[in-house]
Amino acid sequence: MADSHTIIVAGAGIGGLTAALALAAKGFRVVVLERTGRLDEVGAGLQLSPNASRVLVDLGLRSRLEACAVTPDAVTAINARSGRSIVRMPIGDVATRTGSPYWVVHRADLQAALALQVAAHPAIELRLGCALDDVTLHADGVTVSGGGGLEQALALIGADGIWSAVRGRVFPKIEPMFSGLIAWRGTFAAEAMPDGEKLRGVQLWLGPDAHLVVYPISGGRRINLVAVVDGSWSQRGWSARGELTEIIARFAHWAGSARALIGAVERWTRWALFAMPDGGAWNQGPVALLGDASHGMLPFAAQGAGMAIEDAAVLAAGLGASHGDGRGTAAEVAATLQRYAALRRPRVKRVQRLARQNGMIYHLPGAAALARDIAMRTLGPDRLLARQNWIYDWRP
Ligand SMILES: Cc1cc2nc3c(=O)[nH]c(=O)nc-3n(C[C@H](O)[C@H](O)[C@H](O)COP(=O)(O)OP(=O)(O)OC[C@H]3O[C@@H](n4cnc5c(N)ncnc54)[C@H](O)[C@@H]3O)c2cc1C
């Protein structure tokens, strides 16, 4: 007999930890299985727009995140060749309009803040060094094996990232696809800013076949860079070393100030960009996927973590409404998870499409790039920002 009050979450990434907190807030006991023995400092900066930050604020994370996040004043698009600003969009206005923060934060700081909140919650058990090995679905729930033990539960949430073991065990085989793009990521100390100025906003440098995103993280003490280029290197993982000489050569024709930013990075890591194809399954019986496990996407809408956080809120609200106090049958759990998938799919698909479009627009060469820059200037900051309202205005 499955425990009618326990939910297992596989993966203690951004989506999994948010799901654990949101489910515990609805009265569930939550067991989180995490493969790694330590929540290491992997990844780099993330932008958290109001649609995601409001979920985290509602879960009580405001003060923990204010201590490490930065509130950027603007997003400035810059022409990579000339080094001149194309348009400056005051992102602070978005926070004022929506009533929720727009933050930039190191992924490790966000994960640490979530983990501290999880550790303080008596209904959540986080088991580190405990990879999910197998899943058995039965009439009244699931049995999960991992870390040498067996756990029974009402439902299993696969929040175990783009190479999800839950997806591999439970769903028809569907593999992430390599995009032909590689994200180089690195940071440097804020005092080492090449022009000596304090960076307060997000810079988006647009060049032929490449773009560069730069913003402060870690309470403004460090600067985060992501340089996206094309290539055939396609290893899995977030932490492969990148050679400085290679990235310098790729940006040799960019404006001096962009090259200076690239030269300031202390250590580069490379991350081959994979995305899940549209149309895969998100749920089956008592099992559902969230975050990158179901919809790993290109990062060019800056919403991968945001969508994982939204998924967590919607999933917990659904399960809380139908099963919050031990009510409901296994068939009703399956129906709730089906509704969750139906609610989330259209929005996530639209964000995935936007990310693909942005990738193409960012990397336009020659005359097409000139036309893009003119179009952005003509639209102006207010209308450019308003095009994002459907993302930022979302509420659980
Ligand atoms: C260059 C780049 C820039 C980005 N910028 C942004 C941004 O600005 N804003 C934004 O919102 N998103 C951004 N993203 C996307 C974001 O990083 C991801 O979408 C997000 O981290 C996904 O969260 P997740 O919880 O689904 O998966 P993950 O964070 O990948 O977590 C999965 C967890 O599951 C664990 N795990 C794996 N297998 C198992 C197993 N068998 N058993 C137990 N545990 C397991 C892993 O160890 C990991 O801890 C960016 C991504 C890239 C590549």
Side-chain angles (χ1 to χ4, degrees), residues 262-325:
I262 286 181
V265 167
E266 292 150 9
R267 182 174 174 275
W268 285 99
T269 55
R270 283 189 295 174
W271 184 345
L273 295 178
F274 285 82
M276 288 298 292
D278 289 348
W282 286 39
N283 67 295
Q284 186 174 315
V287 182
L289 302 176
L290 67 71
D292 280 10
S294 47
H295 52 68
M297 62 180 74
L298 295 174
F300 313 138
Q303 287 295 328
M307 290 303 113
I309 290 167
E310 288 188 10
D311 288 349
V314 173
L315 188 78
L319 284 170
S322 56
H323 296 82
D325 45 21

Side-chain angles (χ1 to χ4, degrees), residues 11 14-15 33-35 46-47 107 132 185 271 292 302 304-306:
I14 307 307
L33 307 180
E34 167 56 44
R35 181 182 56 186
L46 290 176
Q47 301 185 45
R107 180 186 179 277
L132 174 138
R185 311 183 87 177
W271 184 345
D292 280 10

Side-chain angles (χ1 to χ4, degrees), residues 9-17 33-36 39 45-48 107 111 130-133 159-166 169 183-185 215 226 228 238 271-273 290-293 296-299 301-308:
V9 175
I14 307 307
L17 292 174
L33 307 180
E34 167 56 44
R35 181 182 56 186
T36 57
L39 297 181
L46 290 176
Q47 301 185 45
L48 282 177
R107 180 186 179 277
Q111 192 182 29
C130 191
L132 174 138
D133 292 326
D160 49 348
I162 193 150
W163 303 105
S164 170
V166 174
R169 301 285 186 284
W184 288 63
R185 311 183 87 177
Y215 52 82
V226 182
V228 178
W238 292 16
W271 184 345
L273 295 178
L290 67 71
D292 280 10
M297 62 180 74
L298 295 174
Q303 287 295 328
M307 290 303 113

Side-chain angles (χ1 to χ4, degrees), residues 53-312:
S53 71
R54 85 168 40 99
V55 173
L56 301 176
V57 168
D58 287 350
L59 289 171
L61 281 137
R62 183 186 279 275
S63 59
R64 286 196 205 281
L65 288 174
E66 275 175 351
C68 56
V70 174
T71 304
D73 57 359
V75 175
T76 306
I78 303 170
N79 182 292
R81 287 282 164 89
S82 67
R84 280 201 291 273
S85 160
I86 305 166
V87 66
R88 181 181 183 279
M89 294 167 273
I91 203 85
D93 297 356
V94 172
T96 311
R97 186 180 60 75
T98 58
S100 298
Y102 194 111
W103 280 320
V104 286
V105 63
H106 196 296
R107 180 186 179 277
D109 289 338
L110 172 58
Q111 192 182 29
L114 287 163
L116 280 173
Q117 197 84 354
V118 158
H121 203 300
I124 308 175
E125 189 189 333
L126 171 58
R127 296 187 194 158
L128 295 176
C130 191
L132 174 138
D133 292 326
D134 214 349
V135 185
T136 312
L137 278 56
H138 41 79
D140 56 359
V142 283
T143 301
V144 169
S145 67
L150 283 180
E151 186 79 36
Q152 298 214 321
L154 181 66
L156 165 67
I157 310 305
D160 49 348
I162 193 150
W163 303 105
S164 170
V166 174
R167 192 182 64 229
R169 301 285 186 284
V170 178
F171 296 93
K173 197 164 176 57
I174 179 164
E175 286 289 325
M177 292 188 310
F178 178 52
S179 63
L181 295 167
I182 299 151
W184 288 63
R185 311 183 87 177
T187 64
F188 61 83
E191 310 87 72
M193 253 320 264
D195 58 8
E197 279 197 25
K198 191 169 162 65
L199 181 62
R200 294 179 195 284
V202 179
Q203 295 182 347
L204 172 63
W205 293 74
L206 305 179
D209 301 324
H211 74 276
L212 176 67
V213 188
V214 188
Y215 52 82
I217 51 168
S218 304
R221 293 183 304 282
R222 297 197 68 79
I223 305 296
N224 176 72
L225 267 79
V226 182
V228 178
V229 297
D230 54 12
S232 57
W233 178 83
S234 62
Q235 270 176 34
R236 295 181 186 188
W238 292 16
S239 310
R241 188 76 193 262
E243 287 307 321
L244 180 63
T245 47
E246 190 182 334
I247 191 78
I248 284 181
R250 291 300 299 257
F251 287 82
H253 303 298
W254 283 42
S257 36
R259 284 184 281 124
L261 287 165
I262 286 181
V265 167
E266 292 150 9
R267 182 174 174 275
W268 285 99
T269 55
R270 283 189 295 174
W271 184 345
L273 295 178
F274 285 82
M276 288 298 292
D278 289 348
W282 286 39
N283 67 295
Q284 186 174 315
V287 182
L289 302 176
L290 67 71
D292 280 10
S294 47
H295 52 68
M297 62 180 74
L298 295 174
F300 313 138
Q303 287 295 328
M307 290 303 113
I309 290 167
E310 288 188 10
D311 288 349

